[in-house]
Amino acid sequence: MKKFLTILASFTFFASAQTFYVIDDKVEVFDPIANKKIGIISRGTFGEKIKEDDERIILKVQGFLKNKDTKTLYATKNTMLPLIVFDDDNNKNSLEIAIAKNKVSEDQINAWADAEILYYDTCSMCHAAHAPKEHTMLEWEGIFTTMRAFAMPTDSEADIIIQYLRAHAIDGYATDDDE
């Protein structure tokens, strides 16, 4: 009976877990206990809601660590897409963070909407833009590096576009284009 209740409690927790997505670029994140800034989180990063108050939400975020890189948590094993860049060393691949409530959404599409528009507007000036899922992150890196000279986005726009392409690549983590 005890085992059944434990399984039921676990199922209830995971069934009720809410996923939130960061909807802006370079958002500050905080240690939820010390309320100290711990780093910058990237657009599209997702986490499971732990709790919230009037101004912030606590998310559990998971990622991948790279050898000899103690300042970055990555989205995928290939470590091409940073999720969080830490102010100080970090050795955890799973952690709780506090973030302003107005910087997250339960809708993944909201996280990428303006980045998607920027990509298609910029990259369809001369030709039909390719769907991000047509290439891997590494392929997009080469393609975008070549095509950037023709499209001439600003550095800020280029950062947003390459982040969007990496997240939505074959080996990326974003799923909003699958819905």
Side-chain angles (χ1 to χ4, degrees):
M1 183 69 166
K2 190 175 188 181
K3 188 175 186 179
F4 172 75
L5 291 175
T6 303
I7 292 170
L8 181 62
S10 297
F11 176 76
T12 304
F13 172 77
F14 288 112
S16 64
Q18 292 174 278
T19 301
F20 283 81
Y21 303 88
V22 177
I23 59 172
D24 208 349
D25 296 307
K26 300 177 182 170
V27 176
E28 292 183 345
V29 290
F30 298 84
D31 178 304
I33 297 168
N35 205 27
K36 174 187 172 225
K37 179 181 169 276
I38 58 171
I40 301 292
I41 195 166
S42 298
R43 170 198 304 265
T45 300
F46 60 94
E48 297 301 319
K49 177 181 146 186
I50 304 297
K51 63 182 176 180
E52 65 182 288
D53 59 29
D54 291 338
E55 297 177 8
R56 65 187 193 155
I57 187 165
I58 310 299
L59 299 177
K60 181 176 183 177
V61 177
Q62 297 183 40
F64 297 87
L65 301 172
K66 184 177 185 177
N67 287 340
K68 299 180 183 176
D69 181 358
T70 58
K71 298 265 189 192
T72 309
L73 183 68
Y74 294 90
T76 57
K77 284 183 181 179
N78 68 12
T79 62
M80 288 190 69
L81 185 58
L83 293 178
I84 302 174
V85 176
F86 296 97
D87 296 339
D88 297 319
D89 289 344
N90 169 66
N91 61 359
K92 298 178 190 171
N93 67 344
S94 178
L95 67 152
E96 292 182 10
I97 58 154
I99 187 170
K101 284 171 97 174
N102 66 344
K103 298 295 184 181
V104 296
S105 171
E106 289 183 79
D107 187 354
Q108 186 176 189
I109 292 171
N110 288 342
W112 295 108
D114 58 338
E116 180 180 33
I117 290 168
L118 179 62
Y119 164 65
Y120 283 103
D121 283 352
T122 303
C123 298
S124 63
M125 291 189 302
C126 304
H127 59 81
H130 291 266
K133 290 275 187 223
E134 290 180 29
H135 299 285
T136 66
M137 287 186 212
L138 189 58
E139 290 169 343
W140 274 122
E141 191 76 29
I143 292 166
F144 187 71
T145 299
T146 302
M147 300 308 290
R148 183 178 178 181
F150 298 104
M152 296 189 299
T154 65
D155 289 345
S156 175
E157 291 170 337
D159 289 345
I160 292 168
I161 292 169
I162 197 63
Q163 182 184 12
Y164 169 77
L165 291 172
R166 287 177 179 163
H168 290 82
I170 294 167
D171 52 348
Y173 67 87
T175 60
D176 57 312
D177 47 0
D178 296 338
E179 297 171 2

